[in-house]
Amino acid sequence: GREIIALAHAAGVQTLVTTTIDAGVGVAAALHLAATLPPPLLPCGLATGALLASDLLEQPINPCNGAIPLPVQPGLGVRLDERQLARHAGGWQHSATDV
Protein backbone atom coordinates (compact mmCIF):
# COMPACT_ATOMS: atom_id res chain seq x y z
CA GLY A 1 0.00 0.00 0.00
CA ARG A 2 2.65 2.55 1.01
CA GLU A 3 4.63 1.94 -2.19
CA ILE A 4 1.55 2.57 -4.34
CA ILE A 5 0.76 5.72 -2.37
CA ALA A 6 4.35 6.98 -2.84
CA LEU A 7 4.25 6.27 -6.60
CA ALA A 8 0.92 8.03 -6.96
CA HIS A 9 2.10 11.02 -4.92
CA ALA A 10 5.29 11.27 -7.02
CA ALA A 11 3.09 11.33 -10.14
CA GLY A 12 0.91 14.09 -8.67
CA VAL A 13 -2.05 11.79 -8.05
CA GLN A 14 -3.95 12.06 -4.76
CA THR A 15 -4.83 8.83 -2.99
CA LEU A 16 -7.43 7.72 -0.50
CA VAL A 17 -8.09 4.53 1.45
CA THR A 18 -11.42 2.73 1.65
CA THR A 19 -12.76 -0.53 3.04
CA THR A 20 -15.29 -2.82 1.44
CA ILE A 21 -17.36 -4.02 4.36
CA ASP A 22 -14.30 -5.27 6.27
CA ALA A 23 -14.46 -6.52 9.83
CA GLY A 24 -12.78 -4.40 12.50
CA VAL A 25 -9.25 -5.73 11.98
CA GLY A 26 -9.36 -4.80 8.29
CA VAL A 27 -10.72 -1.36 9.12
CA ALA A 28 -7.96 -0.87 11.73
CA ALA A 29 -5.29 -1.78 9.14
CA ALA A 30 -6.84 0.57 6.58
CA LEU A 31 -7.04 3.33 9.20
CA HIS A 32 -3.32 3.04 9.92
CA LEU A 33 -2.55 3.16 6.18
CA ALA A 34 -4.82 6.19 5.74
CA ALA A 35 -2.96 7.95 8.56
CA THR A 36 0.19 7.87 6.40
CA LEU A 37 -1.36 9.64 3.41
CA PRO A 38 0.40 12.82 2.35
CA PRO A 39 -1.55 16.09 2.29
CA PRO A 40 -3.83 17.31 0.97
CA LEU A 41 -6.06 14.62 2.38
CA LEU A 42 -9.12 13.29 0.62
CA PRO A 43 -12.00 11.82 2.64
CA CYS A 44 -11.42 8.10 3.16
CA GLY A 45 -14.24 5.55 3.31
CA LEU A 46 -13.49 3.63 6.50
CA ALA A 47 -16.75 3.82 8.47
CA THR A 48 -18.17 0.51 7.25
CA GLY A 49 -18.26 -1.45 10.53
CA ALA A 50 -21.84 -0.47 11.28
CA LEU A 51 -22.93 -2.23 8.09
CA LEU A 52 -22.02 -5.60 9.62
CA ALA A 53 -23.92 -7.64 12.19
CA SER A 54 -20.64 -7.72 14.12
CA ASP A 55 -17.20 -6.22 13.51
CA LEU A 56 -15.45 -8.82 15.74
CA LEU A 57 -13.83 -6.19 18.00
CA GLU A 58 -14.26 -5.55 21.71
CA GLN A 59 -14.43 -1.81 20.95
CA PRO A 60 -15.81 -0.91 17.51
CA ILE A 61 -13.96 1.63 15.39
CA ASN A 62 -16.43 4.48 15.10
CA PRO A 63 -16.14 7.88 13.47
CA CYS A 64 -16.54 11.00 15.59
CA ASN A 65 -17.35 14.25 13.79
CA GLY A 66 -16.27 12.77 10.48
CA ALA A 67 -12.91 11.42 11.70
CA ILE A 68 -11.66 8.18 13.21
CA PRO A 69 -8.90 8.56 15.80
CA LEU A 70 -6.01 6.11 15.65
CA PRO A 71 -6.03 3.58 18.49
CA VAL A 72 -3.22 4.13 20.98
CA GLN A 73 -2.70 0.49 21.93
CA PRO A 74 0.23 -1.48 20.38
CA GLY A 75 -0.08 -3.09 16.94
CA LEU A 76 -3.25 -2.19 15.11
CA GLY A 77 -4.64 -1.09 18.47
CA VAL A 78 -7.69 -3.34 18.52
CA ARG A 79 -8.67 -6.43 20.47
CA LEU A 80 -10.78 -9.25 19.08
CA ASP A 81 -14.02 -10.08 20.89
CA GLU A 82 -13.94 -13.80 21.73
CA ARG A 83 -17.75 -14.10 21.96
CA GLN A 84 -18.27 -12.56 18.54
CA LEU A 85 -15.53 -14.77 17.08
CA ALA A 86 -17.10 -17.91 18.57
CA ARG A 87 -20.52 -16.98 17.23
CA HIS A 88 -19.26 -16.41 13.68
CA ALA A 89 -16.37 -18.88 13.47
CA GLY A 90 -18.38 -22.02 12.76
CA GLY A 91 -16.06 -24.27 14.78
CA TRP A 92 -12.81 -22.39 14.11
CA GLN A 93 -10.85 -21.99 17.35
CA HIS A 94 -9.01 -18.80 18.33
CA SER A 95 -7.44 -17.57 21.54
CA ALA A 96 -7.66 -13.95 22.67
CA THR A 97 -4.92 -11.78 21.22
CA ASP A 98 -4.35 -8.15 20.59
CA VAL A 99 -3.90 -7.26 16.94
Side-chain angles (χ1 to χ4, degrees):
R2 283 292 311 139
E3 292 174 5
I4 294 169
I5 291 169
L7 287 170
H9 186 69
V13 176
Q14 285 185 281
T15 54
L16 60 98
V17 178
T18 65
T19 57
T20 54
I21 320 279
D22 291 300
V25 172
V27 173
L31 176 60
H32 282 272
L33 180 61
T36 70
L37 292 173
L41 296 177
L42 296 173
C44 293
L46 303 177
T48 57
L51 301 172
L52 301 172
S54 165
D55 72 356
L56 306 179
L57 299 180
E58 286 184 356
Q59 290 282 52
I61 297 174
N62 293 318
C64 180
N65 296 322
I68 302 175
L70 281 173
V72 296
Q73 296 79 10
L76 291 178
V78 296
R79 186 164 174 82
L80 298 173
D81 184 316
E82 290 295 322
R83 285 179 281 177
Q84 290 182 47
L85 283 173
R87 189 172 358 154
H88 298 292
W92 180 73
Q93 296 298 315
H94 175 76
S95 61
T97 58
D98 294 321
V99 284

